[in-house]
């Protein structure tokens, strides 16, 4: 279990997202009938949104104004699957203040209205960036540049006060080499102090919004994230920073092994962390194995956030693969998101759902068979394993623990019949790597009300070409 300090949060009276309406109805109905808790959420959630709501996390998506306007299926999916929105482009400086003092909020307003209509939070992106900022700003210097920055932040933050829950105040201010500050027109014009000024301005403009510093290639521990760490330390000591946004524009198979430790060190500063722009790109065309690897990568990243109390959520950078910025910017790469262009779900979708504690087995994603063992009955909990997707030398499994009484913790155990061994696991911890596996709940999935279920998962290695076996699992309440 990860250690996390309780977040010393400031007051946030801004609107609270409601739980999915249907859950509310069921709650009221069962309360009226005097039924117990156990019947309320008897089955695991089947949408990302439902699962994230249960964890009190944001599952966000970057949205396009045009698609929200023109595509009803896209709109429905955004409303159903996500509880948080970020404007992919509509809140950037070139969209909101294309010329000095002339503000254009049509697109940003529409996105915030949509979020409000659908009880979604908004993570605002972004005030101060070296890209998508008009040349009239870039041509300013000294006091005039500072004045423009302060006015811009004030105007946009004031407009959305109470409606935008958090802001990427500065974006990508650290360079890719040697942990230096990025050599941008901001740094050249104003010196490093522009970052502090931006945060002070944003704090004063909307004291209740959470303020983030956001960057890419800081997902693991490296020179760049070390620099962000020291900037964050300074801003936090002045109480003008609330969180760090990790963009997580990742490459297949390259989730940093120290990502969890990296996020934890920021949490230890008393900050929130957030995965702000997640996508995982694959060299195209992507094959089935790569899509499965991508699912595992998505699962890992989501899992890290799910397990960290101070991780506010995960935002994916677009809905459908075809909408993504990736192919345009990284030639030869694509397929980085959760949905295909016909809005069907990719393996990565089910992995994210699983990692959020939902029922990611609901719709098996490949032609691979899903096999399950029958649950033994009569004990305080029962557990089953199912093979989600086998490949020649390995397989991904999902485990389900069902509570037959109220649980405050659980332990599952089984023995592999052959050479199968767990290589990595999520939502479960213990002695996992040997022939006999003993695993217990992690921090957030130990409390399970009678009748409810929770899930965990793992990958195994196995003999080339062998069948992925499904051992019988014993479940014991803690
Ligand atoms: C990208 C958008 O996805 C594209 O539509 C746009 O053309 C360029 O910007 N880091 C960020 C995001 O902080 O704002 C970027 O979004 C992706 C990289």
């Amino acid at each position: 279990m990860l250690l996390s300090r309780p977040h010393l949060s400031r007051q946030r009276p801004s609107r609270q997202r409601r739980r999915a309406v249907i859950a509310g109805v069921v709650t009221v109905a069962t309360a009226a009938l005097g039924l117990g808790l156990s019947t309320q959420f008897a089955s695991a959630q089947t949408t990302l949104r439902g699962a994230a709501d249960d964890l009190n996390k944001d599952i966000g998506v970057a949205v396009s104004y045009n698609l929200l306007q023109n595509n009803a299926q896209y709109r429905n999916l955004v409303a159903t699957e996500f509880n948080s929105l970020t404007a992919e482009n509509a809140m950037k400086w070139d969209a909101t203040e294309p010329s000095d003092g002339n503000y254009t909020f049509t697109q940003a307003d529409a996105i915030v209205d949509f979020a409000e209509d659908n009880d979604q939070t908004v993570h605002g992106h972004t005030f101060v960036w070296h890209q998508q900022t008009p040349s009239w700003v870039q041509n300013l210097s000294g006091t005039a540049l500072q004045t423009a920055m302060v006015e811009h932040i004030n105007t946009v933050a004031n407009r959305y006060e109470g409606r935008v829950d958090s802001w990427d105040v500065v974006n990508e201010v650290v360079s890719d080499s040697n942990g230096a500050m990025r050599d941008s027109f901001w740094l050249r014009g104003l010196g490093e102090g522009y970052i502090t000024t931006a945060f002070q301005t944003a704090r004063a403009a909307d004291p209740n919004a959470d303020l983030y510093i956001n960057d890419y290639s800081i997902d693991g521990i490296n020179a760049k994230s070390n620099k962000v760490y020291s900037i964050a330390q300074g801003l936090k000591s002045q109480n003008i920073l609330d969180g760090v946004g990790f963009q997580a524009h990742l490459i297949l198979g390259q989730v940093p092994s120290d990502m969890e430790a990296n996020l934890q060190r920021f949490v230890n500063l008393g900050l929130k962390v957030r995965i702000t722009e997640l996508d995982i790109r694959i060299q195209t065309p992507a094959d089935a194995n790569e899509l499965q690897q991508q699912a595992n990568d998505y699962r890992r990243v989501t899992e890290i956030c799910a397990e960290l109390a101070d991780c506010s959520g995960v935002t994916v950078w677009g809905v459908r693969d075809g909408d993504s910025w990736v192919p345009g910017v990284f030639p030869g790469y694509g397929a980085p998101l959760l949905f295909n262009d016909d809005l069907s779900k990719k393996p990565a979708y089910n992995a994210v759902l699983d990692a959020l504690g939902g029922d990611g087995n609901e719709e098996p994603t490949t032609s691979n068979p899903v096999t399950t063992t029958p649950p033994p009955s009569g004990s305080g909990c029962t557990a089953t394993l199912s093979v989600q997707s086998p490949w020649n030398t390995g397989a991904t499994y999902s485990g389900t623990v069902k509570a037959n009484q109220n649980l405050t913790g659980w332990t599952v155990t089984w023995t592999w019949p052959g050479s199968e061994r767990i290589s990595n696991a999520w939502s479960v911890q213990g002695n996992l790597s040997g022939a006999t596996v003993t695993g217990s709940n992690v921090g957030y999935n130990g409390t399970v009300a009678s009748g409810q279920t929770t899930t965990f998962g793992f990958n195994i290695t196995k003999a080339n070409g062998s069948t992925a076996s499904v051992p019988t699992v014993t479940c014991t309440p803690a």
Side-chain angles (χ1 to χ4, degrees):
M1 177 182 157
L2 293 163
L3 298 174
S4 59
R5 269 193 214 169
H7 179 63
L8 305 172
S9 62
R10 293 165 302 103
Q11 288 298 94
R12 294 197 56 209
S14 62
R15 89 203 135 77
Q16 288 276 325
R17 194 173 51 237
R18 291 194 300 269
R19 266 173 177 249
V21 173
I22 192 154
V25 169
V26 173
T27 305
V28 171
T30 52
L33 292 169
L35 299 177
L37 248 181
S38 60
T39 52
Q40 282 184 31
F41 301 107
S43 60
Q45 296 285 353
T46 54
T47 62
L48 303 181
R49 180 179 186 154
D53 280 350
D54 282 358
L55 289 181
N56 200 22
K57 300 268 181 203
D58 283 346
I59 181 75
V61 64
V63 290
S64 138
Y65 168 79
N66 281 333
L67 287 169
L68 271 189
Q69 282 300 108
N70 300 324
N71 186 328
Q73 283 179 315
Y74 176 95
R75 237 184 350 259
N76 285 342
L77 186 133
V78 167
T80 310
E81 291 288 351
F82 298 95
N83 62 19
S84 177
L85 301 187
T86 294
E88 185 173 0
N89 288 298
M91 287 188 183
K92 292 172 182 173
W93 197 315
D94 60 357
T96 52
E97 194 188 7
S99 62
D100 192 357
N102 293 322
Y103 286 90
T104 48
F105 287 121
T106 314
Q107 300 202 355
D109 281 357
I111 290 171
V112 174
D113 287 346
F114 184 93
E116 217 151 62
D117 289 347
N118 292 289
D119 293 317
Q120 294 163 313
T121 61
V122 178
H123 180 76
H125 177 80
T126 177
F127 294 140
V128 178
W129 190 24
H130 63 285
Q131 287 182 23
Q132 291 177 274
T133 302
S135 51
W136 72 265
V137 183
Q138 302 199 32
N139 292 336
L140 300 172
S141 59
T143 315
L145 180 59
Q146 170 136 336
T147 304
M149 183 185 83
V150 168
E151 276 180 13
H152 181 81
I153 295 173
N154 274 330
T155 306
V156 181
N158 282 335
R159 182 178 188 87
Y160 295 113
E161 187 171 1
R163 304 182 73 202
V164 167
D165 303 85
S166 46
W167 280 104
D168 292 331
V169 175
V170 301
N171 194 33
E172 304 180 350
V173 298
V174 174
S175 93
D176 293 339
S177 53
N178 305 324
M181 296 303 299
R182 177 181 295 280
D183 179 21
S184 68
F185 67 88
W186 292 112
L187 186 73
R188 289 190 297 273
L190 298 175
E192 283 191 30
Y194 80 91
I195 296 175
T196 305
T197 308
F199 276 94
Q200 284 169 338
T201 307
R203 179 68 97 216
D206 183 353
N208 295 314
D210 273 345
L211 305 183
Y212 281 73
I213 182 171
N214 193 51
D215 217 321
Y216 64 90
S217 298
I218 60 164
D219 314 300
I221 297 176
N222 54 40
K224 190 171 178 181
S225 65
N226 287 346
K227 180 66 176 176
V228 172
Y229 183 86
S230 73
I231 297 170
Q233 237 172 346
L235 295 169
K236 171 68 184 169
S237 70
Q238 301 167 71
N239 192 27
I240 49 178
L241 180 72
D242 302 299
V244 178
F246 300 81
Q247 291 186 7
H249 293 294
L250 299 173
I251 299 171
L252 186 72
Q254 296 186 23
V255 178
S257 56
D258 53 8
M259 185 166 182
E260 187 176 318
N262 188 41
L263 268 57
Q264 182 70 56
R265 68 176 172 154
F266 286 92
V267 166
N268 291 345
L269 290 177
L271 294 167
K272 296 182 185 180
V273 293
R274 184 180 184 92
I275 311 299
T276 49
E277 305 184 13
L278 180 59
D279 51 28
I280 301 179
R281 57 187 182 268
I282 304 177
Q283 272 183 14
T284 47
D287 67 25
N289 281 339
E290 289 168 324
L291 292 173
Q292 188 52 52
Q293 171 71 53
Q294 181 185 52
N296 295 340
D297 291 349
Y298 262 102
R299 185 193 300 275
R300 177 80 194 121
V301 173
T302 310
E303 193 54 54
I304 288 170
C305 185
E307 289 186 11
L308 259 181
D310 292 305
C311 182
S312 62
V314 175
T315 291
V316 289
W317 204 244
V319 176
R320 305 171 299 191
D321 281 342
D323 304 328
S324 169
W325 73 307
V326 161
V329 179
F330 304 101
Y333 284 87
L337 297 171
L338 303 182
F339 294 90
N340 295 304
D341 291 351
D342 62 1
L343 291 178
S344 59
K345 297 164 181 171
K346 294 170 60 188
Y349 171 94
N350 286 303
V352 171
L353 181 54
D354 240 10
L356 292 171
D359 187 0
N361 300 323
E362 182 81 352
E363 296 175 55
T365 51
T366 65
S367 52
N368 295 318
V370 173
T371 26
T372 49
T373 46
S377 57
S379 57
C381 56
T382 47
T384 55
L385 296 180
S386 70
V387 182
Q388 281 199 292
S389 44
W391 59 94
N392 278 346
T393 56
T396 300
Y397 284 68
S398 174
T400 302
V401 171
K402 180 168 191 233
N404 303 322
Q405 62 184 51
N406 290 333
L407 300 177
T408 53
W410 46 262
T411 298
V412 288
T413 181
W414 69 89
T415 301
W416 293 111
S419 65
E420 302 94 333
R421 295 293 179 270
I422 292 179
S423 53
N424 65 308
W426 44 94
S427 307
V428 63
Q429 60 186 352
N431 294 322
L432 305 178
S433 56
T436 295
V437 175
T438 306
S440 299
N441 59 281
V442 290
Y444 71 89
N445 67 354
T447 301
V448 190
S450 179
Q452 293 195 44
T453 59
T454 190
T455 57
F456 61 93
F458 55 85
N459 290 332
I460 62 158
T461 56
K462 63 181 178 62
N464 199 346
S466 65
T467 306
S469 52
V470 185
T472 301
V473 184
T474 307
C475 187
T476 323

